[in-house]
Structure formats: structure tokens, C-alpha cells
Amino acid sequence: MAVAYERIANTLRQSIRAGRLRPGDRLPSEAKLAEEFRRSVPTVRDALRVLRDEGLIEKQHGRGNFVRRPRTTAVRTNLRHQWEKGRAREPLAERAQTGATEQDTGLQVNDLVFHASYREIEADEHLAEAFALPEGTRLLERSYRTRYAAESAPFSLVTSYLVHDLIAENPDLLDETKEPWPGGSQSQLYTVGIELDRIEERVTARPPTPEEAAELELPPGTSVLVLRKTSIDINDRVVGVSKVILPGDRTEMLFTTHLERW
């Protein structure tokens, strides 16, 4: 038999799912709920905690509890890489019309807010191994955050690395103010004569760090997907390494494999 706080949570959950409480609606105060359900305030708090853990409501400091607005879902498919390669050599006007994030979310360019920051670093042991280069090799570290203008959390946390000397021929590739680059990273690499042969992606799941949970605005108990992307050129050389942290509550990974016919 359900205990008191579970019955309160069930009633509120049903109201949310039935649309009687809609996204953005403020719930009655804890005192009002305690009066309505004829239970103590601590019991009501336990019920609200359950709903927060499920991602159905969120507590806004100083304002109360609100029905959580569903975030925009991103469907990330492996077909995006060939799509991006096919556009890498298109004229600027064509490349500027849309990008991978728009493809993933169904949003338009003007719906998005984009931020990029660059810095030069020296390859540590792990990055040196990934690039098959000596430790201390100069790299360009690029951090990206893209969000829907109507939301405050980014779709993902992206950290990307390129070998500095491979791209230095084009100074624009070292300049964060040139972002977002129409056509994405493959178009950037094309400007210095690099063509990708393949992209390897490894996906794992884990609990977020406190910093990741805060930036992605994750409900309690939500995992993140960690995508490690390695870009390899037609000379079998690793030219790019990326780490993408994806929120588990609003990311779908879709893999399509075309099979050769007999």
C-alpha cells in the first residue's frame, strides 16, 4: 500500500500528465498542498522531491515549484558526418543556411544562440596518445555551447582539439570570432587541404559531474552520454579529437547502417 507522500506524488503526477497542470504552471505552496491533502508539510516535501527526481517539476529559488517545461530534444544520427562532408565545398551562401544542430533539432539558424572559445594548449599524455604525437605538441582547444534561444541550457558541452600546426596556414581557423563557421569543422579543414576519410565515435554513459549537471540543468538522477569523436583523414592521420557531453534526458542517438547487397 502506497505511503502518504507517494499518494500525493501520484495525484500531482496524474494532473501533470493529464494536462491539468501544464508546463510552466506554478504548484500550490507546500502549506496549501498540506492543507489540501490533509498531511504534514514534511510529507508534501517528500512528494515534491519524488516529482523533482522524475524531472516533472523544478524548484525555482524564492518562487516555488513549477511544472517543468520539456526541453527541445536532439536526435543525433551518424549520417550527419556524410551530410557535413557533402556541404564542405559548397559556396558560403549554401553552407550558411543550416548546420548540424539545426538538423538534429529541427530548429532554424535564427532560433539558436552560439558561443565558442579557443585557447592553445600542450597535448597531455591522453591527447598525445589519441593523436599519435609527442606529449607537449601544440593543440588548439575549442569549446562550443549552442542552445535554443527560448531555453537557458545548451544542447551539449563540446570540447574539440585540432593540431595547431596543421591548421595554422589559415589564420581564420585560429580565431574564435569566425565562429560559427558555415559548414562546420569539415569545411574548416577543407580550407587547409584536409579531407576526412572516416569518423570514429565511442559512446559511454555516466553520472554527470556537479558542473555538468548545473550547466546542462539536469534533473536529479539523470545521466549524461559521453561521446568521444576521432576524425581521421585520407592519409590515415588523426586530425581532430572531440569530447561531447550530451544530456541523457533530451538526447537520442540514432545509428543507421547501410549494408552491402549480396
Side-chain angles (χ1 to χ4, degrees), residues 71-76 101 104-106 155 246 250-253:
R71 299 294 172 80
T72 303
T73 300
V75 180
R76 187 182 178 101
T101 300
D104 291 350
T105 61
F155 293 110
L246 299 157
R250 52 190 182 271
T251 303
E252 178 181 338
M253 307 292 289

Side-chain angles (χ1 to χ4, degrees), residues 4 8 22 34 50 66 80 92 104 109 113 144 151 185 188 190 215 217 241-242 258 262:
I8 296 172
R22 294 178 293 182
V50 169
F66 292 78
R80 71 196 331 252
L92 174 62
D104 291 350
V109 173
V113 177
Y144 297 112
E151 299 174 354
S185 60
Q188 290 175 315
Y190 169 67
E215 189 170 0
E217 299 179 9
V241 173
S242 300
H258 292 285
W262 287 321

Side-chain angles (χ1 to χ4, degrees), residues 51-198:
L51 297 178
R52 283 196 296 271
D53 288 349
E54 294 175 1
L56 292 177
I57 66 171
E58 58 187 359
K59 188 169 186 176
Q60 298 182 13
H61 184 68
R63 297 189 63 208
N65 292 286
F66 292 78
V67 179
R68 191 168 181 260
R69 298 180 185 276
R71 299 294 172 80
T72 303
T73 300
V75 180
R76 187 182 178 101
T77 168
N78 57 320
L79 300 180
R80 71 196 331 252
H81 305 306
Q82 183 58 57
W83 177 81
E84 187 178 283
K85 182 171 183 178
R87 298 173 66 249
R89 297 180 294 173
E90 294 292 332
L92 174 62
E94 176 70 21
R95 287 184 280 116
Q97 287 181 9
T98 188
T101 300
E102 295 91 291
Q103 291 287 108
D104 291 350
T105 61
L107 298 172
Q108 303 298 314
V109 173
N110 293 335
D111 294 329
L112 302 175
V113 177
F114 181 88
H115 175 74
S117 61
Y118 286 10
R119 66 172 184 148
E120 290 184 18
I121 67 166
E122 293 184 351
D124 61 16
E125 176 185 358
H126 300 293
L127 286 169
E129 181 180 4
F131 280 102
L133 292 171
E135 287 188 44
T137 297
R138 190 160 49 150
L139 303 176
L140 181 68
E141 180 186 83
R142 310 182 301 174
S143 296
Y144 297 112
R145 303 290 187 269
T146 304
R147 64 177 176 86
Y148 180 26
E151 299 174 354
S152 54
F155 293 110
S156 60
L157 312 178
V158 181
T159 308
S160 170
Y161 300 92
L162 299 173
V163 179
H164 182 279
D165 290 351
L166 284 182
I167 60 173
E169 175 186 337
N170 182 355
D172 284 349
L173 300 187
L174 305 174
D175 184 357
E176 65 186 37
T177 68
K178 302 299 182 181
E179 296 280 8
W181 189 282
S185 60
Q186 292 201 53
S187 182
Q188 290 175 315
L189 294 172
Y190 169 67
T191 68
V192 290
I194 295 175
E195 177 186 355
L196 295 189
D197 173 72
R198 63 192 185 276

